[in-house]
């Protein structure tokens, strides 16, 4: 150790002379003084397009350093995108749209579960197939968090939809038999009223003045569309992921309007793990300075605002981790690096990292950041338990008295909004309880993984579905909505008296695609759905 330290000290001391051979190895040696010796910079990774650090870079020159500073092309790309937005004079906000669609406009106000009001609203929708004479063959297809109404291509929008292979003649959603309707949920950004829409009270974007939503709010808005189409009863309510939550909510809200239910990779109530994952996505988005408390849309005073694309990118990367599975990624990526001949990088280096980086980069401007916040929070609030439903009905009754006054004012009253719409932090933050030990956990009533008996509160809350045929599907490789959550739905329905429950769980031998199985597995998911509807 001593000799090693001596060597380092000796190497660190500058020599008074340095041998310099100006013309090459065959030219006589010349003694030449050196002011300071510096090791050449190793080009470990590609620097920015000019090959130098930006003028305002916080990185100090590595003069005299033992090693050169790493370059960060992934951060350069983010900064470059921000600079591009800042240079636009017309404003950077993209036009969130999935193409041509139908629009239903409701001039009637919609009272929301947490006291907010939409004085009027739009629902973007598309349909495939033909509505029969007695309007009894309609299927309402509910979407996942970020999907538009464009589930299948249309004449006006030939781009393939997100369930393109599942909709059509003789396909799971057979358009030779059924009239299939898909909407963009309220709170979304693909044509339905959401945070990026303008408040009719003042003509300004809602932004984070938009009220808190629930799954039931979304379904009520969809029912307004069904009323407009004069569809009194659905042949089926079908959905996957968040759509699976909506399909159950539709049956509970109006059991007389829903003939059957298909809930794929969904749940009857959100559980802590999925809530935690969505929380982290919202946090990384909200700490992006460009989010600006939700007011990042260009307006008359500032047409050059930059959307929170960096936060959106990170949020999507976290989400993508939950959408796909470990087994699939093991086969697809393994531990392979993008270029094993190059030194490791702190930017995307492994194939799985480059995949996540691409997924985030591709999506960060395709979806409105505020819509992600509001809709993901609505997923967290979902609970079909009897106690939760009872509290919601009570709150709606109390808030109904405000609706006439609020609409007559035709403006938002800040005090009233605070009293009826806002969610606040608890007065006492969470503290770890010392008595929470293994014995306490073993006695907990909230252990659906190991118990096939669902809580009685949930059984009571779903009692209205006792006579509604139901298909419940789960996937063993799903980490976002684990298969035990679908077993909970099926067990709850059966304990509520439903004798027409079809429960299917796809093991890893059937599907390795995790939560996204419902988008990809036409044979197993599509086949089961087709048999159930028939």
């Amino acid at each position: 150790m001593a000799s090693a330290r001596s060597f380092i000290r000796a190497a660190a001391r500058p020599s008074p002379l340095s041998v310099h051979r100006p013309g090459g190895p065959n030219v006589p040696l010349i003694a030449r003084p050196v002011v300071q010796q510096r090791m050449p910079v190793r080009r470990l990774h590609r620097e920015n397009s000019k090959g130098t650090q930006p003028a305002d870079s916080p990185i100090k020159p590595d003069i005299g350093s033992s090693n050169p500073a790493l370059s960060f092309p992934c951060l350069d790309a983010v900064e470059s995108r921000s600079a591009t937005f800042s240079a636009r004079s017309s404003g950077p906000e993209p036009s969130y749209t999935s193409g041509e669609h139908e629009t239903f406009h409701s001039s009637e106000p919609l009272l929301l579960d947490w006291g907010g009001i939409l004085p009027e609203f739009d629902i973007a929708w598309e349909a495939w197939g033909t509505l029969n004479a007695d309007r009894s063959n309609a299927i309402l297809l509910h979407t996942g968090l970020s999907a538009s109404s464009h589930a299948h291509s249309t004449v006006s929008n030939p781009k393939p939809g997100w369930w393109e292979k599942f909709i059509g003649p003789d396909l799971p959603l057979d358009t030779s038999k059924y009239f299939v309707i898909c909407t963009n949920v309220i709170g979304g950004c693909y044509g339905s009223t959401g945070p990026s829409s303008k408040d009719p009270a003042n003509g300004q974007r809602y932004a984070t003045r938009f009220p808190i939503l629930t799954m039931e709010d979304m379904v009520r808005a969809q029912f307004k569309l069904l009323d407009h189409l004069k569809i009194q009863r659905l042949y089926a309510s079908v959905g996957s992921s968040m759509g699976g939550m909506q399909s159950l909510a539709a049956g509970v809200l109006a059991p007389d309007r829903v003939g059957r239910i298909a809930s794929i990779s969904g749940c009857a109530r959100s559980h802590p793990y999925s809530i935690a994952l969505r929380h982290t996505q919202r946090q990384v988005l909200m700490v992006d300075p460009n989010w600006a408390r939700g007011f990042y849309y260009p307006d008359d005073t500032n047409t050059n605002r930059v959307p929170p694309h960096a936060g959106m990118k990170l949020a999507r990367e976290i989400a993508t981790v939950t959408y796909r599975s470990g087994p699939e990624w093991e086969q697809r990526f393994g531990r392979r690096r993008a270029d094993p001949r190059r030194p490791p990088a702190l930017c995307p280096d492994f194939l799985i990292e480059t995949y996540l980086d691409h997924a985030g980069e591709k999506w960060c401007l395709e979806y409105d950041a505020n819509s992600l916040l509001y809709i993901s929070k609505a997923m967290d609030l979902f609970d079909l338990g009897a106690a939760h439903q009872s509290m919601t009905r009570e709150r709606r009754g109390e808030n109904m008295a405000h609706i006439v006054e609020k609409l007559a004012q035709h403006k938002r009253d800040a005090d009233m909004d605070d009293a009826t719409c806002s969610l606040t932090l608890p007065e006492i933050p969470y503290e770890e309880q010392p008595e929470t030990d293994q014995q306490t956990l073993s006695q907990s009533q909230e252990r659906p993984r190991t118990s096939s008996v669902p809580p009685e509160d949930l059984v009571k809350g779903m009692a209205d579905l006792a006579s509604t045929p139901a298909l419940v599907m789960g996937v063993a490789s799903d980490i976002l909505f684990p298969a035990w959550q679908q077993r909970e739905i099926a067990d709850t329905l059966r304990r509520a008296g439903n004798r027409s429950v079809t429960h299917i769980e796809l093991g890893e031998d059937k599907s390795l695609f995790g939560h996204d199985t419902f988008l990809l597995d036409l044979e197993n998911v599509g086949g089961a759905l087709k048999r159930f509807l028939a």
Side-chain angles (χ1 to χ4, degrees), residues 123-145:
I123 290 288
W125 66 283
E126 297 176 52
W128 305 267
T130 303
L131 188 62
N132 60 14
D134 61 358
R135 287 173 158 73
S136 63
N137 69 331
I139 292 177
L140 182 57
L141 175 61
H142 306 275
T143 72
L145 185 155

Side-chain angles (χ1 to χ4, degrees), residues 14 18 56-57 73 75 106 161 214 305 312 402 409 431 453 472 506:
S18 175
D56 59 348
S57 173
L75 301 184
S106 175
T214 67
R305 288 177 174 159
M312 279 291 279
H402 299 307
Q409 293 174 352
E431 294 182 1
V453 180
V472 182
L506 301 178

Side-chain angles (χ1 to χ4, degrees), residues 467-484:
S467 59
T468 305
L471 169 67
V472 182
M473 291 192 68
V475 181
S477 58
D478 189 345
I479 63 172
L480 182 58
F481 288 81
W484 62 263

Side-chain angles (χ1 to χ4, degrees), residues 114-375:
W114 278 96
I117 292 175
L118 296 180
E120 57 188 56
F121 63 92
D122 291 336
I123 290 288
W125 66 283
E126 297 176 52
W128 305 267
T130 303
L131 188 62
N132 60 14
D134 61 358
R135 287 173 158 73
S136 63
N137 69 331
I139 292 177
L140 182 57
L141 175 61
H142 306 275
T143 72
L145 185 155
S146 59
S148 70
S149 61
H150 194 61
H152 190 274
S153 54
T154 62
V155 174
S156 58
N157 185 2
K159 181 181 177 181
W162 56 267
W163 240 24
E164 185 76 17
K165 295 181 180 180
F166 289 74
I167 303 172
D170 201 36
L171 292 177
L173 295 184
D174 190 343
T175 52
S176 64
K177 296 180 180 179
Y178 313 119
F179 181 63
V180 182
I181 308 166
C182 185
T183 79
N184 178 222
V185 298
I186 57 169
C189 55
Y190 292 128
S192 294
T193 296
S196 60
S197 303
K198 291 184 177 180
D199 184 345
N202 56 19
Q204 298 178 2
R205 306 267 194 141
Y206 280 108
T208 45
R209 289 183 292 251
F210 197 78
I212 291 292
L213 291 170
T214 67
M215 292 291 111
E216 289 81 358
D217 291 329
M218 298 173 187
V219 171
R220 288 189 188 94
Q222 293 168 336
F223 280 166
K224 293 289 187 180
L225 169 63
L226 297 182
D227 293 341
H228 170 72
L229 297 175
K230 296 181 171 59
I231 297 173
Q232 296 303 314
R233 182 175 171 82
L234 290 169
Y235 181 80
S237 174
V238 176
S240 304
S241 187
M242 186 183 84
M245 302 159 82
Q246 293 176 68
S247 65
L248 292 171
V252 171
L253 276 177
D256 58 330
R257 296 197 71 168
V258 179
R260 62 196 69 206
I261 289 170
S263 180
I264 304 166
S265 295
C267 64
R269 50 187 180 141
S270 283
H271 292 270
Y273 178 70
S274 59
I275 293 173
L277 289 169
R278 287 187 288 267
H279 162 77
T280 58
Q281 294 171 49
R282 289 193 297 269
Q283 289 294 292
V284 298
L285 169 54
M286 292 166 67
V287 297
D288 185 327
N290 290 325
W291 181 61
R293 304 299 174 96
F295 291 87
Y296 51 83
Y297 306 109
D299 55 25
D300 294 338
T301 61
N302 189 343
T303 61
N304 205 29
R305 288 177 174 159
V306 178
H309 61 96
M312 279 291 279
K313 177 182 177 182
L314 291 174
R316 185 62 172 187
E317 291 190 35
I318 295 171
T320 303
V321 171
T322 71
Y323 293 156
R324 305 305 275 265
S325 78
E328 179 209 0
W329 285 355
E330 194 66 43
Q331 292 185 8
R332 207 170 150 193
F333 305 112
R335 287 185 42 78
R336 295 191 299 278
R337 295 175 56 223
D339 188 350
R341 297 168 299 180
R342 306 186 73 179
L346 296 180
C347 280
D349 182 28
F350 285 90
L351 285 182
I352 183 59
E353 293 176 316
T354 62
Y355 167 76
L356 293 174
D357 183 72
H358 172 74
E361 186 68 29
K362 179 177 181 293
W363 193 76
C364 67
L365 288 175
E366 292 183 0
Y367 197 74
D368 183 33
N370 284 336
S371 286
L372 173 63
L373 297 175
Y374 276 87
I375 296 179

Side-chain angles (χ1 to χ4, degrees), residues 404-458:
V404 175
E405 179 185 354
K406 290 184 77 172
L407 290 174
Q409 293 174 352
H410 203 67
K411 67 182 182 68
R412 299 284 174 176
D413 183 270
D415 293 336
M416 184 173 293
D417 280 349
D418 288 343
T420 59
C421 308
S422 298
L423 299 182
T424 59
L425 291 174
E427 293 182 2
I428 303 176
Y430 173 77
E431 294 182 1
E432 194 69 50
Q433 302 300 314
E435 67 271 16
T436 301
D437 54 21
Q438 192 63 37
Q439 182 178 0
T440 305
L441 291 175
S442 67
Q443 296 172 351
S444 172
Q445 298 300 310
E446 296 289 326
R447 302 194 70 207
R449 277 183 183 273
T450 58
S451 174
S452 61
V453 180
E456 194 61 31
D457 176 68
L458 194 60

